[in-house]
Amino acid sequence: MRKKVILYKAIPLQERKRLDEIFDVTYFDSIDDSNRDAFFTALAETDGIIGSSVEMSSNVLNKAPRLKAASTISVGTDQYDLDYLAKRNIPLMHTPDILNETTADTIFTLIMCTARRAIELSNMVREGRWIKSIGEEQYGTDVHGKTLGIIGMGRIGYAIAKRAHFGFNMPIHYSNRSQNEVAENDLNATYMNMETLLKTSDFICVMAPLTAQTKHLIGEKEFALMKESAIFINGSRGKVIDESALIDALTRGSIRAAGLDVFDIEPLPANSPLCKLDNAVLFPHIGSATAETRLNMVACAVDNLIRALNGDLSKNCANKHLFNR
Ligand code: DGY
């Protein structure tokens, strides 16, 4: 008998067809109040789920007694409770590696836009406020040669550091759970504790995944340690920082600017104080959002689900290390 699968995200037709060829697929283009009951009904029967951007708490997944595999179309796994899934022996598959370079490009865009005030000055031109040759009130700050501090030197952190080192001649500081010898050897990166990194870096880029340990990793105390000229970048998850402490630091000018791809609440409410700050560059969570990379991620997630439902967890299983604990 064909296995039952729930797809809870709109994906390109060719990838939907691949699922349809193998499984009985119940499709939702996302989950909201209008279809939640139908989603819960489908969960009762399903063997697998695939999608992204919907929180799959243990309360929700308790409604799926037959569930054998979950596949998220993301590298981040924070929409799922990995321990809960492991206790039920359910693998969570994810999409590492294929988005590293694209996400590093996005982070560099944030670095450049904040340093050179690109959005603010572009708005000045569009709004007819460019009435004379610009003066020092509009000057930006250099990126090349400045020190980049990376908190979370994983796969994406490394891709950012590579651009900074080879393209912009930037000394790299990093803090991480463990030392990254490849980054040290290839990019001359220096490992240090977070406090030293915050005090000594010109650009501070957070790339640590959201876990119980990293929630509000950067708050009032950490912003106070940064230089007044520091530019803060968050490309990980909104909850890794205390957003109100950041708003306070930007408003008071205790740091220079921030570039954010992720927020505490997404989509960011239009009445957020961040939307009023010229020294904040705000992206709508587009780290991996190019046509090529998003398609590759969907294809990878479909492959992952097919393999996992065949019992093959040799690649891209995010919670295998938690099984049988
Ligand atoms: C990821 O893959 O985790 C990106 O942040 C998109 O959600």
Side-chain angles (χ1 to χ4, degrees):
M1 211 171 68
R2 277 155 65 98
K3 293 197 168 91
K4 291 189 194 311
V5 157
I6 297 174
L7 168 64
Y8 59 92
K9 169 116 183 151
I11 63 171
L13 198 57
Q14 78 243 42
E15 293 302 324
R16 264 185 72 178
K17 279 191 183 148
R18 287 212 295 139
L19 289 170
D20 283 332
E21 272 162 23
I22 306 177
F23 305 118
D24 278 344
V25 181
T26 306
Y27 168 63
F28 303 91
D29 58 6
S30 76
I31 308 298
D32 55 34
D33 289 346
S34 70
N35 61 12
R36 206 173 310 277
D37 286 345
F39 173 61
F40 287 164
T41 303
L43 275 178
E45 299 277 299
T46 203
D47 299 289
I49 56 177
I50 177 168
S52 72
S53 313
V54 176
E55 192 187 345
M56 293 292 170
S57 65
S58 47
N59 279 344
V60 170
L61 294 185
N62 276 338
K63 299 181 193 306
R66 290 173 37 174
L67 188 66
K68 293 175 194 64
S71 178
T72 179
I73 310 169
S74 63
V75 65
T77 56
D78 45 286
Q79 302 284 5
Y80 285 85
D81 177 341
L82 297 192
D83 284 312
Y84 162 85
L85 287 178
K87 273 192 210 124
R88 286 186 53 190
N89 277 322
I90 298 168
L92 175 65
M93 314 302 283
H94 69 149
T95 65
D97 292 320
I98 46 180
L99 45 62
N100 297 349
E101 299 298 327
T102 298
T103 307
D105 287 349
T106 304
I107 299 303
F108 242 87
T109 311
L110 281 173
I111 290 174
M112 298 306 293
C113 285
T114 45
R116 301 304 301 273
R117 300 168 62 176
I119 312 294
E120 178 194 346
L121 295 180
S122 170
N123 287 340
M124 184 185 84
V125 176
R126 285 168 182 277
E127 291 161 13
R129 291 184 285 113
W130 186 26
I131 46 179
K132 62 178 170 64
S133 163
I134 65 143
E136 57 183 283
E137 327 74 85
Q138 284 95 23
Y139 289 166
T141 188
D142 281 334
V143 174
H144 65 270
K146 296 280 180 67
T147 299
L148 174 63
I150 300 181
I151 299 169
M153 184 61 97
R155 295 172 282 246
I156 300 173
Y158 181 87
I160 296 164
K162 193 172 62 176
R163 284 158 175 72
H165 175 75
F166 290 114
F168 291 81
N169 195 26
M170 297 171 87
I172 311 293
H173 291 171
Y174 78 100
S175 65
N176 199 38
R177 268 182 313 185
S178 53
Q179 261 177 274
N180 184 326
E181 281 177 24
V182 183
E184 292 184 14
N185 293 335
D186 294 359
L187 311 174
N188 207 15
T190 309
Y191 184 59
M192 58 186 65
N193 62 41
M194 198 169 76
E195 185 173 329
T196 313
L197 181 148
L198 296 173
K199 286 181 178 164
T200 57
S201 301
D202 299 307
F203 291 85
I204 294 157
C205 182
V206 178
M207 294 311 297
L210 176 62
T211 63
Q213 292 72 39
T214 62
K215 187 165 180 211
H216 286 193
L217 182 69
I218 308 291
E220 191 183 337
K221 180 169 138 264
E222 289 71 26
F223 286 115
L225 292 172
M226 296 177 194
K227 298 180 189 184
E228 239 184 61
S229 56
I231 293 186
F232 177 76
I233 307 288
N234 188 6
S236 61
R237 287 293 184 265
K239 288 186 173 20
V240 174
I241 70 164
D242 176 347
E243 202 167 273
S244 48
L246 171 64
I247 291 167
D248 188 48
L250 289 171
T251 310
R252 287 187 299 107
S254 82
I255 62 171
R256 184 187 179 102
L260 308 172
D261 188 39
V262 289
F263 302 89
D264 208 346
I265 299 171
E266 293 182 9
L268 180 69
N271 64 358
S272 162
L274 285 169
C275 298
K276 299 217 158 51
L277 293 172
D278 274 344
N279 57 348
V281 173
L282 314 173
F283 285 176
H285 201 149
I286 54 166
S288 59
T290 63
E292 301 90 329
T293 293
R294 282 291 168 89
L295 182 59
N296 288 339
M297 287 167 69
V298 172
C300 173
V302 168
D303 286 342
N304 286 342
L305 184 68
I306 295 169
R307 277 191 283 99
L309 284 175
N310 275 328
D312 175 1
L313 306 184
S314 56
K315 216 169 91 174
N316 299 341
C317 180
N319 62 342
K320 204 161 116 181
H321 60 291
L322 300 172
F323 283 21
N324 307 318
R325 270 197 171 174

